[in-house]
Amino acid sequence: MKKYIIDLRVVESVRLGERYALLRLSSDFSLPEMLPGQFAELKVEGSPTTFLRRPISIHYVDYDRNEVWFLIAVVGDGTSRLGSLRRGDVLNCIIPLGNSFSLPQSANERVLLVGGGVGVAPLLFLGSNLCRMGCKPTFLLGARSASDLVQLEYFESFGRVFLTTEDGSAGEKGFVTNHSVLATEKFDRICTCGPKPMMVAVARYASEHDICCEVSLENKMACGLGACLCCVEPTHEGNLCVCKQGSVFNINQLLWHV
């Protein structure tokens, strides 16, 4: 898929709790085609400590409004600068990058989307695509506490939503792989993104139950083009660049899922 270096205009910048910011961006020209699971490299301006772009998952695309959304976890100077952008500011992006989640062959497939922390971001766009093809997904979203669960109303517009929090302040207490829905329902496909320990646990569950499973890895990606080799992941096919051959992988490709 063709990549573009484009300037996008901030339509809205909203802080979601203490840890997250939502950027809604648009352009005077039609946005390029984007697929769920892809990401962008965002240029950080005005930071004396940030020299590289920041890889951020595509959170949602609203083609009617010609908008692309990014959910930013504010953890350092670079992401703080992105989260402090205001309406009318211009943000330079390389987009779209990487591959995408596979969509089911049939709308009858029971699809579970599992996200933890800011790893929920690509699942909203994936959920909208599944819903558009007539497949109503189930979301299983985990966070430290209720204050870290964001945009639940958007996820609920595309499918059922189940929650876990480590402190028990929302949904079931514990981790996503402890949620009761995994014991009471069967799924044909799982897509997941979040902290690596969470994805390892989800992959193990999928493998034990013979469920097709794809994970979106969050290795450090400096260039987004496969040139710097910062994001290399050992796989059964050799060392692969997550930014170019991923970031979405079937668990059967990976060495750590068992």
Side-chain angles (χ1 to χ4, degrees):
M1 183 176 287
K2 188 175 180 180
K3 304 168 183 61
Y4 299 84
I5 303 177
I6 54 177
D7 287 331
L8 298 177
R9 184 182 66 260
V10 177
V11 175
E12 186 179 37
S13 175
V14 182
R15 286 303 292 259
L16 303 176
E18 296 181 359
R19 300 183 62 232
Y20 300 104
L22 174 69
L23 292 180
R24 292 172 46 214
L25 307 172
S26 188
S27 170
D28 294 332
F29 305 96
S30 296
L31 291 172
E33 179 187 3
M34 290 171 263
L35 299 174
Q38 292 186 306
F39 67 98
E41 288 277 359
L42 309 185
K43 188 175 182 179
V44 179
E45 301 280 6
S47 170
T49 61
T50 307
F51 306 102
L52 301 172
R53 292 174 181 262
R54 288 294 180 261
I56 306 293
S57 295
I58 295 169
H59 183 39
Y60 184 67
V61 182
D62 187 333
Y63 287 108
D64 292 332
R65 295 185 177 184
N66 200 43
E67 290 182 1
V68 57
W69 298 5
F70 296 102
L71 183 64
I72 312 291
V74 180
V75 294
D77 188 55
T79 50
S80 294
R81 297 275 177 166
L82 293 174
S84 65
L85 291 173
R86 294 291 178 260
R87 180 182 176 88
D89 288 343
V90 174
L91 180 61
N92 186 264
C93 308
I94 306 176
I95 194 170
L97 296 170
N99 64 356
S100 63
F101 287 105
S102 302
L103 296 178
Q105 297 297 311
S106 167
N108 295 322
E109 280 196 35
R110 295 161 297 183
V111 183
L112 178 66
L113 308 183
V114 185
V118 76
V120 305
L123 302 184
L124 184 65
F125 189 29
L126 176 58
S128 70
N129 277 257
L130 290 168
C131 200
R132 191 177 299 116
M133 65 175 288
C135 178
K136 204 77 169 178
T138 297
F139 295 95
L140 177 53
L141 309 178
R144 295 176 184 173
S145 65
S147 61
D148 293 324
L149 293 165
V150 297
Q151 296 199 294
L152 295 182
E153 68 276 16
Y154 289 98
F155 289 101
E156 289 167 350
S157 69
F158 297 126
R160 297 182 303 160
V161 176
F162 295 93
L163 305 174
T164 67
T165 50
E166 294 178 26
D167 63 3
S169 56
E172 296 185 10
K173 185 175 182 179
F175 302 114
V176 289
T177 46
N178 304 131
H179 198 284
S180 58
V181 71
L182 297 180
T184 58
E185 298 191 24
K186 295 182 178 180
F187 297 96
D188 303 306
R189 179 185 297 266
I190 298 175
C191 300
T192 184
C193 183
K196 185 174 179 179
M198 184 207 78
M199 291 193 292
V200 171
V202 171
R204 184 179 298 115
Y205 169 85
S207 183
E208 291 171 352
H209 293 81
D210 196 27
I211 301 172
C212 175
C213 182
E214 291 182 335
V215 300
S216 178
L217 301 187
E218 295 187 321
N219 297 29
K220 292 185 182 297
M221 293 180 280
C223 71
L225 302 170
C228 69
L229 305 181
C230 287
C231 62
V232 165
E233 177 74 22
T235 74
H236 292 293
E237 303 165 24
N239 292 331
L240 299 180
C241 285
V242 170
C243 69
K244 191 172 183 180
Q245 278 98 2
S247 57
V248 177
F249 293 89
N250 187 289
I251 60 172
N252 294 327
Q253 295 175 268
L254 301 173
L255 302 181
W256 49 253
H257 85 277
V258 292

